[in-house]
Amino acid sequence: MADKAAPDPSRRSERSRRAIFDAALALVGEVGYDKLTIEGIAARAGVGKQTIYRWWPSKAAVLLDAFTAGVDEDYAKGLPDTGDLAADLKFVLRATADEFNDPVFQAPYRALAAAGANDEELSRAFVGRLLEPGTRVYVERLRAAQEAGQVAAGIDVRVAVEMLLSPFSQRWLMRTGELTHEYVDTLVDQVLCGLRPRD
Amino acid sequence: MADKAAPDPSRRSERSRRAIFDAALALVGEVGYDKLTIEGIAARAGVGKQTIYRWWPSKAAVLLDAFTAGVDEDYAKGLPDTGDLAADLKFVLRATADEFNDPVFQAPYRALAAAGANDEELSRAFVGRLLEPGTRVYVERLRAAQEAGQVAAGIDVRVAVEMLLSPFSQRWLMRTGELTHEYVDTLVDQVLCGLRPRD
C-alpha cells in the first residue's frame, strides 16, 4: 500500500507518457499531421503542454516515439527462429496483416505516410526509427537461414527482404489488394522459392 | 503554307492541352496538391480558366490526364519481348530507374503520392489510371513467358510482378536506397530465380 501513501513519480511519468502517445496516435489519425498540435495532444491526454515540451522538442518527435513505443521491444527480440524459415515468416506476416487490417492501426499510420511523402526530413526520421529496424529483423533472420544453408550463398539478403516486405506494404498503402493470410503465404512461398540453394 | 493562313483548331487545342499538362505537372511539384488551383494552372499555361473547365471537371482530373498523357502509348505497346525475359525486364527497369532519378519527374510524382496518401478517392483514381495499367504490362509479359515455359506453371504472376515492382517503387518513395542499374539487375535476377521451372 506504500504507493497509495506516496505515489511513485516514475510510475506517474510512465502513465503520462502512455496517455500522450495514445492521444498523439488517435489525433493524427483524426486530423492529419498538418493539423496536429502539441496543444491538441496535451488537451486530449489531460496533461499540461509544458509536460510535453519538457520531454519532446516537436510534434514529430512525440509521434515518432509514439509509433516506436510498441515495437522497439519486438525489434529487440527479433523474428522467431524455429528452423523452418517459411513457417516463421508466414507466422509473423500473418500477424502483421491482421494489424494492418485494423482501422485503429490504419489511421495514424496512413497519416504518417502522407506526412512523410510531403516532408523529406520526417520521412527520413520515420524510415530510420521504424522502417529500417523493422527491415533489419528480417535481414537477420534470412542471414541466419543463409548460414544454415537454407538460403543460397549468392543471394543479396537485403534485396530479398524488400521482395517480401515492399509488396506487402504497397498493397496496403495503395489499396491494390487485400492483405489476407492466403496472400501472405503465396508471397512467402514465391520469394523463398528463388532463394533456395540449387542442388 | 495553308496552316499559316487558317490555323488548324485541333492543332491549337493539342498545343493548349500540352501547355496545360506541363503547367499542372510543374506547379504540383512546386506547391503541392493542396495548393494547386485551376486558376494557377491556367495562368502558367497562358490559357483562360474556362478552357480548362471546358475539358476537365477538377484539378484532380487535369492532373491524372497530365500524368497518363505520356504513358498511355507506352502501355498500349506493352513490354519488349525478345524471348529473353531477364534482359527485357532489365532493359525496361533500368530506363525507369533513370526516369525516377530525374528531379523533373520526381517532384510532381512525389506530390501526387503525398496527395493520394491523404485522399482515398484520388489514390484510387491514380492507382486505376496509372499504377494498374503499368502493372498489367508486366503481368502480360510474365504470362507470355509462362506460356513459353520460362516461368513455372504454378506461379502467381501478379504476385511475382509485385515482387519486382514494389521494392523498386518503395526504395524511391521512402528513399531507402539508390535506384542504380546494378540494383535493378540484382532485383530482376533474384525475382526470376524463383519463378523458373524446376528440372
Side-chain angles (χ1 to χ4, degrees), chain B residues 13-61:
Chain B
S13 290
E14 187 44 42
R15 261 202 312 269
S16 296
R17 272 173 64 90
R18 193 63 258 170
I20 291 163
F21 290 164
D22 289 346
L25 293 174
L27 266 179
V28 77
E30 287 167 24
V31 303
Y33 181 75
D34 287 347
K35 293 188 183 141
L36 183 71
T37 60
I38 295 279
E39 288 74 9
I41 299 170
R44 176 84 156 237
V47 303
K49 68 178 182 175
Q50 285 316 315
T51 303
I52 300 186
Y53 281 120
R54 201 182 322 140
W55 290 327
W56 296 279
S58 66
K59 67 177 179 182

Side-chain angles (χ1 to χ4, degrees), chain A residues 146-163:
Chain A
Q146 199 171 37
E147 276 156 21
Q150 293 158 4
V151 164
I155 289 294
D156 183 323
V157 165
R158 169 76 201 207
V159 171
V161 170
E162 291 178 14
M163 284 160 54

Side-chain angles (χ1 to χ4, degrees), chain A residues 59-129:
Chain A
K59 67 179 180 180
V62 180
L63 211 52
L64 283 167
D65 277 358
F67 269 102
T68 51
V71 293
D72 279 348
E73 221 173 297
D74 289 345
Y75 292 163
K77 272 187 294 190
L79 291 199
D81 188 348
T82 66
D84 181 341
L85 180 61
D88 292 344
L89 294 177
K90 286 175 187 174
F91 174 78
V92 175
L93 278 174
R94 282 171 167 220
T96 310
D98 294 345
E99 191 181 44
F100 274 55
N101 287 325
D102 175 355
V104 173
F105 168 88
Q106 289 224 14
Y109 219 88
R110 283 194 188 279
L112 190 63
N118 277 319
D119 179 338
E120 180 168 346
E121 198 183 337
L122 182 68
S123 173
R124 290 194 189 277
F126 164 71
V127 166
R129 286 282 304 277

Side-chain angles (χ1 to χ4, degrees), chain B residues 153-175:
Chain B
I155 290 294
D156 183 323
V157 166
R158 169 76 200 205
V159 171
V161 169
E162 291 177 15
M163 283 159 55
L164 189 65
L165 298 184
S166 297
F168 181 97
S169 35
Q170 200 177 26
R171 261 192 182 223
W172 176 78
L173 192 65
M174 300 292 184
R175 305 179 185 86

Side-chain angles (χ1 to χ4, degrees), chain A residues 114 117-118 120 123-124 127 132 155-156 160 162-163 166-167 169-171 174-176 183 190 193-194 198, chain B residues 114 117-118 120 123-124 127 132 155-156 160 162-163 166-167 169-171 174-176 183 190 193-194 198:
Chain A
N118 277 319
E120 180 168 346
S123 173
R124 290 194 189 277
V127 166
E132 279 300 324
I155 289 294
D156 183 323
E162 291 178 14
M163 284 160 54
S166 297
S169 33
Q170 199 177 27
R171 262 194 180 221
M174 299 293 185
R175 306 179 182 87
T176 47
Y183 164 70
Q190 288 198 181
C193 190
R198 301 265 152 177
Chain B
N118 277 319
E120 180 168 348
S123 172
R124 289 193 189 278
V127 165
E132 279 300 324
I155 290 294
D156 183 323
E162 291 177 15
M163 283 159 55
S166 297
S169 35
Q170 200 177 26
R171 261 192 182 223
M174 300 292 184
R175 305 179 185 86
T176 46
Y183 164 71
Q190 287 197 182
C193 190
R198 301 265 152 178

